[in-house]
Amino acid sequence: MSESTGKVCIVIGASHAGAQLAESVRKHGWEGEVLVIGNEAFLPYHRPPLSKDFLAGQKSVDNILLKSAAAYEKLNIKFRLNTWVTKIDQQNKTLSLDSGETIAFDKLALTLGARVRKVPINGSEKAGVFYLRTIDDIENIRPYALAGKKAVIVGGGYIGLETASALRKMGMEVTVIEMMSRILQRVTGEQISDFYSRIHTEEGVKIVTDTAINQIEGDKAVTAVRSQDGQLFPADLVIIGAGILPNLELAAEAGLNVEQGGIVVDEFATTSNPDIVAAGDCTWHFNPTYERWLRLESVQNATGQARVAGAAICGQKLTYNEIPWFWSDQYNLKLQIAGLSQGFDNIVIRGDIAKGRQFAAFYFEGDKFIAVDAVNMPVAFMVGKRLLLSKKAVDKSKLADETVDLKSLM
């Protein structure tokens, strides 16, 4: 504990948001103790490489850490790993740990993140069946990710498709099974779904849609996946990607304001308790650009909101108002997304989406530009982001015309 103030700031969640928040607290002048509590065995790490380079064995744990242990020591940020917080007592400003300990705080930050959504599939307890969210998950998957073996991925979202890309590059035979009528149906337009279906098919992945799974076959280990309509898909490895659920229970049980979507925070990332902030996947916040409440699952949101939360702990009122952005790496494709496309009613395509591997899709709600998906087209991503920030009217015909310099539209 710091001799200068004696005050304690505790961060629950050793995540992207947790690491950034602890660092921001120091940056904004907190002189007391900073303690980060995490339920994994590792210091905060980059999650995006898990389904890509880390799965393929091209990166080690040390390669994906956000900062080294020495860097945190230099900032005087301490960690309690492999530790679960079981209760928050707002009135007494204490936390109960799974070890039986009770520790006190002056300021508290909740970067609780999210967990995988489990789906009830008969036989999902068999060896070779996994969810993918953590380093430990990947370490358990690797022995089954062998060239020439068969993998079935249940769920055609971004994580499922990134995993399919990684496994295919490792030499596995890969099938992606999606219960909806197209992959990525929840998050993007039909043209983008068709594009990624084509790319994965060209790379040797089998895409199966309109198909739900109800049985994992095999004795002790998986041998096949059976769909509700009786189709059988041989498998040595099954990865279930059914999305994630925000970790809200701890905050709700403590009596903090929690809506269905997340822990409610204001523009300063402060909860219903002025001594408790929250950031990242677990928060429910108002976005002025889209004029609605959101819960976002992205590294950008986690780190951006954490910076604001760290300032709030130190009594400095920064406001969180950023354009959401995301990315996905599959094969030789880098998809960059700016904005939120939900509610679009028309799309303008720039580039050859039907045959090529470079294009941009600009989403509109009426005449209002609301989002861009750019594949191997970083200028389109940058311009789209700038247009969203400026809220300028956009000429759709110029967006589609490849003879027009996109930068001239800003």
Side-chain angles (χ1 to χ4, degrees), residues 105-390:
F105 64 86
D106 295 284
K107 297 288 186 178
L108 182 64
L110 305 180
T111 55
L112 304 172
R115 62 188 182 275
V116 294
R117 184 190 300 272
K118 298 290 182 74
V119 292
I121 301 176
N122 294 328
S124 59
E125 76 288 350
K126 297 183 190 300
V129 181
F130 301 97
Y131 291 85
L132 193 162
R133 179 70 179 169
T134 68
I135 285 176
D136 285 340
D137 292 335
I138 297 297
E139 299 285 15
N140 291 330
I141 288 169
R142 274 193 188 137
Y144 295 84
L146 303 173
K149 298 290 186 178
K150 295 178 172 62
V152 170
I153 296 172
V154 181
Y158 282 119
I159 292 297
L161 295 180
E162 288 172 0
T163 306
S165 169
L167 295 178
R168 188 73 193 104
K169 288 191 287 186
M170 293 166 70
M172 296 197 76
E173 297 180 31
V174 182
T175 301
V176 174
I177 300 176
E178 169 57 54
M179 67 183 298
M180 302 187 82
S181 60
R182 57 185 173 86
I183 59 174
L184 301 174
Q185 185 164 329
R186 297 175 182 85
V187 293
T188 195
E190 187 173 352
Q191 293 98 320
I192 312 302
S193 296
D194 290 346
F195 170 80
Y196 275 104
S197 289
R198 171 175 68 83
I199 295 299
H200 279 274
T201 300
E202 288 175 358
E203 297 289 345
V205 174
K206 181 178 181 181
I207 302 287
V208 181
T209 57
D210 287 313
T211 302
I213 299 303
N214 69 348
Q215 181 71 40
I216 307 287
E217 303 285 356
D219 184 9
K220 293 182 179 180
V222 60
T223 57
V225 172
R226 187 178 297 276
S227 66
Q228 288 181 350
D229 60 5
Q231 295 183 76
L232 197 65
F233 302 93
D236 303 290
L237 166 65
V238 174
I239 297 176
I240 302 171
I244 60 176
L245 295 171
N247 293 319
L248 309 178
E249 295 80 5
L250 193 63
E253 290 166 4
L256 293 171
N257 187 8
V258 174
E259 299 289 347
Q260 184 176 1
I263 302 168
V264 178
V265 295
D266 62 16
E267 67 269 36
F268 311 117
T270 303
T271 70
S272 51
N273 183 326
D275 289 323
I276 303 177
V277 299
D281 292 358
C282 65
T283 64
W284 185 244
H285 64 279
F286 185 78
N287 183 284
T289 300
Y290 291 90
E291 298 181 337
R292 66 176 189 265
W293 288 82
L294 302 171
R295 188 181 69 79
L296 294 174
E297 300 167 8
S298 78
V299 172
Q300 169 270 333
N301 174 66
T303 55
Q305 197 171 45
R307 291 188 185 98
V308 171
I313 281 178
C314 299
Q316 299 170 32
K317 300 294 187 182
L318 304 180
T319 58
Y320 183 57
N321 179 21
E322 296 185 26
I323 297 296
W325 61 272
F326 318 83
W327 77 90
S328 176
D329 295 313
Q330 300 170 47
Y331 307 110
N332 62 341
L333 309 175
K334 176 171 281 295
L335 167 65
Q336 294 172 289
I337 303 168
L340 301 172
S341 61
Q342 290 86 348
F344 76 93
D345 50 33
N346 60 94
I347 301 178
V348 175
I349 303 294
R350 184 185 183 94
D352 186 359
I353 192 172
K355 296 180 181 178
R357 294 196 174 199
Q358 182 184 51
F359 72 91
F362 297 90
Y363 295 82
F364 288 82
E365 187 175 359
D367 290 326
K368 182 182 178 182
F369 173 55
I370 59 172
V372 59
D373 291 351
V375 172
N376 291 347
M377 199 176 282
V379 171
F381 168 73
M382 179 196 71
V383 171
K385 197 174 179 183
R386 294 274 183 88
L387 290 172
L388 289 168
L389 284 167
S390 68

